[in-house]
Amino acid sequence: MTEANGSTFVMRGVNHAYAWYPDRTTSIADIAAKGANTVRVVLGSGDRWTRTSASEVSSIIGRCKAAKVICVLEVHDTTGYGEDGAATTLDRAADYWIGVKSALEGQEDYVVVDIGNEPFGNTNYSAWTNATKAAIVKLRNAGLRHALMVDAPNWGQDWSNTMRDNASSVFAADPDRNTIFSIHMYGVYDTAAEVSGYLHAFTDKGLPIVVGEFGNRHSDGDPDEDAIMANAQSLGVGYIGWSWSGNGGGVEYLDMVNGFDANSLTGWGNRFFNGANGIAATSKRATVYGGDSGTGGGTAPNGYPYCVNGGSSDPDGDGWGWENNRSCVVRGSSADTGAGSGTAPNGYPYCVNGGSSDPDGDGWGWENNRSCVVRGSSADH
């Protein structure tokens, strides 16, 4: 996905079950301290679970901003609609978002609205396409300008490929063209080929996709978490693991920490945060918080910081901007002497010749008898 300033942002996040554990007020900060750049927060619309009030939503957003994470807010009451009789509709979820609009306004740079969690089960799931389009249009007509996220049917796993096959028309139904698709990968995605094939179906078309939930095992099968994380990293796709703590109903093994204790990682938590393609190795803070995504933030070769907000900080177009009470350099401008050089966040120099120094496309090149990083590549972190 792209931030308002044009910087690329890749979600590396954790789900947190606020609706069921509203007293766990430190969880968002604890998740951020582990290196996550995103927290997906479970809310209730009042249809099945207790309604999360506008004041609570404001408080949650405040905690996300204090922790410098992007806040993905989701209504959970839609889970399994059509199959689970207690679930509500996407239309009702849209009503909820309109009802808490006062808490959302002005937070567009920090908040993604996930309209409804897993909004259809395995019954009448073909209705997903029109219901999703209608909810998007309803929110836009109500004045919500946030990035919207839409979850897949089939309990989020889209084994019917309903979301995959209709994604282009759903995306086109958003007048803002600012909708992100979310696939939940559990037992359906137990092979690397299934993971790769599904994600490529979106990225090959230039459609934004994230893995909004996944785990290392599940009651419906054994998801291939290594393939999920590796494919997400190679494709520049976001992922949000399920979940921080508080799982029950036989899937307690999906807790990343024991008893909401940030200092007590479970096996799944250790894998997620510290393993290959995990949070510690791949997460980069959103530039709206001053993070370095490879396109904003960092230090120019002349020693001045790059402008986090790019050209918008440079009204006269001379390549010099003003942020945080000091001069900054617009990356790639005339003031960015050696725009192709400089140092990547991992300490290696950027390749002066860009991708031409990287014949195998892994983000690493070779110049002046040493390794270099292609700016903006998967190695640029």
Side-chain angles (χ1 to χ4, degrees), residues 299-301 306 331 337-344 347-352 373 375:
T299 304
Y306 282 119
R331 195 183 296 277
T337 52
S341 61
T343 303
Y348 284 84
Y350 282 119
C351 301
V352 172
V373 172
R375 193 184 300 278

Side-chain angles (χ1 to χ4, degrees), residues 67-127:
K68 298 184 177 181
V69 294
I70 296 299
C71 220
V72 178
L73 302 177
E74 61 101 341
V75 161
H76 216 75
D77 304 52
T78 55
T79 305
Y81 176 74
E83 186 174 350
D84 187 332
T88 196
T89 63
L90 279 172
D91 187 62
R92 285 285 299 160
D95 288 339
Y96 169 79
W97 294 118
I98 294 167
V100 296
K101 180 182 174 184
S102 61
L104 301 171
E105 288 178 313
Q107 306 301 327
E108 290 82 1
D109 288 348
Y110 308 95
V111 172
V112 175
V113 173
D114 186 342
I115 303 175
N117 183 69
E118 301 179 3
F120 284 83
N122 295 324
T123 304
N124 296 326
Y125 53 81
S126 62

Side-chain angles (χ1 to χ4, degrees), residues 118-121 125 128 151-160 162-163:
E118 301 179 3
F120 284 83
Y125 53 81
W128 175 90
D151 286 12
N154 307 129
W155 299 93
Q157 297 200 76
D158 201 30
W159 55 259
S160 64
T162 300
M163 184 171 81

Side-chain angles (χ1 to χ4, degrees), residues 267-358:
W268 165 223
N270 188 57
R271 165 69 189 93
F272 183 81
F273 288 105
N274 301 319
N277 301 300
I279 293 291
T282 68
S283 177
K284 290 184 284 189
R285 180 178 291 167
T287 62
V288 71
Y289 295 119
D292 185 356
S293 72
T295 55
T299 304
N302 61 14
Y304 283 85
Y306 282 119
C307 301
V308 170
N309 297 314
S312 62
S313 297
D314 175 28
D316 64 358
D318 65 352
W320 289 92
W322 186 261
E323 292 178 355
N324 299 316
N325 295 311
R326 67 170 297 185
S327 293
C328 59
V329 172
V330 177
R331 195 183 296 277
S333 70
S334 58
D336 188 10
T337 52
S341 61
T343 303
N346 60 15
Y348 284 84
Y350 282 119
C351 301
V352 172
N353 298 313
S356 61
S357 297
D358 175 28

Side-chain angles (χ1 to χ4, degrees), residues 1-333:
M1 60 184 287
T2 303
E3 294 186 64
N5 63 19
S7 297
T8 298
F9 176 69
V10 180
M11 291 185 180
R12 290 287 178 264
V14 175
N15 284 276
H16 167 50
Y18 171 86
W20 307 311
Y21 299 100
D23 57 326
R24 298 293 183 174
T25 56
T26 67
S27 291
I28 291 172
D30 289 343
I31 291 166
K34 295 293 185 189
N37 63 23
T38 302
V39 178
R40 181 172 179 258
V41 185
V42 176
L43 308 182
S45 64
D47 293 279
R48 180 171 188 176
W49 286 288
T50 301
R51 186 178 190 274
T52 308
S53 68
S55 62
E56 286 178 280
V57 172
S58 290
S59 178
I60 291 165
I61 295 170
R63 290 187 198 121
C64 285
K65 291 169 73 172
K68 298 184 177 181
V69 294
I70 296 299
C71 220
V72 178
L73 302 177
E74 61 101 341
V75 161
H76 216 75
D77 304 52
T78 55
T79 305
Y81 176 74
E83 186 174 350
D84 187 332
T88 196
T89 63
L90 279 172
D91 187 62
R92 285 285 299 160
D95 288 339
Y96 169 79
W97 294 118
I98 294 167
V100 296
K101 180 182 174 184
S102 61
L104 301 171
E105 288 178 313
Q107 306 301 327
E108 290 82 1
D109 288 348
Y110 308 95
V111 172
V112 175
V113 173
D114 186 342
I115 303 175
N117 183 69
E118 301 179 3
F120 284 83
N122 295 324
T123 304
N124 296 326
Y125 53 81
S126 62
W128 175 90
T129 302
N130 287 336
T132 300
K133 289 178 180 179
I136 291 170
V137 170
K138 188 171 189 173
L139 293 180
R140 294 302 187 213
N141 287 343
L144 271 72
R145 302 269 75 92
H146 305 71
L148 301 178
M149 186 176 286
V150 294
D151 286 12
N154 307 129
W155 299 93
Q157 297 200 76
D158 201 30
W159 55 259
S160 64
N161 291 323
T162 300
M163 184 171 81
R164 186 198 71 180
D165 294 345
N166 293 282
S168 294
S169 69
V170 170
F171 188 80
D174 179 0
D176 291 3
R177 302 298 193 271
N178 195 17
T179 294
I180 304 158
F181 297 92
S182 175
I183 183 68
H184 294 181
M185 290 188 164
Y186 292 109
V188 171
Y189 298 91
D190 56 358
T191 68
E194 288 166 322
V195 171
S196 176
Y198 193 88
L199 296 179
H200 269 283
F202 287 79
T203 59
D204 289 353
K205 294 179 180 178
L207 292 168
I209 180 77
V210 302
V211 183
E213 290 184 18
F214 73 104
N216 62 336
R217 54 192 174 117
H218 203 260
S219 55
D220 69 344
D222 184 11
D224 190 340
E225 69 278 7
D226 292 342
I228 292 168
M229 297 168 82
N231 276 274
Q233 181 62 15
S234 65
L235 292 171
V237 164
Y239 65 64
I240 310 174
W242 187 276
S243 72
W244 182 240
S245 198
N247 286 286
V251 294
E252 289 81 1
Y253 48 75
L254 288 173
D255 283 1
M256 294 180 178
V257 298
N258 294 299
F260 291 91
D261 182 353
N263 297 314
S264 181
L265 284 175
T266 64
W268 165 223
N270 188 57
R271 165 69 189 93
F272 183 81
F273 288 105
N274 301 319
N277 301 300
I279 293 291
T282 68
S283 177
K284 290 184 284 189
R285 180 178 291 167
T287 62
V288 71
Y289 295 119
D292 185 356
S293 72
T295 55
T299 304
N302 61 14
Y304 283 85
Y306 282 119
C307 301
V308 170
N309 297 314
S312 62
S313 297
D314 175 28
D316 64 358
D318 65 352
W320 289 92
W322 186 261
E323 292 178 355
N324 299 316
N325 295 311
R326 67 170 297 185
S327 293
C328 59
V329 172
V330 177
R331 195 183 296 277
S333 70

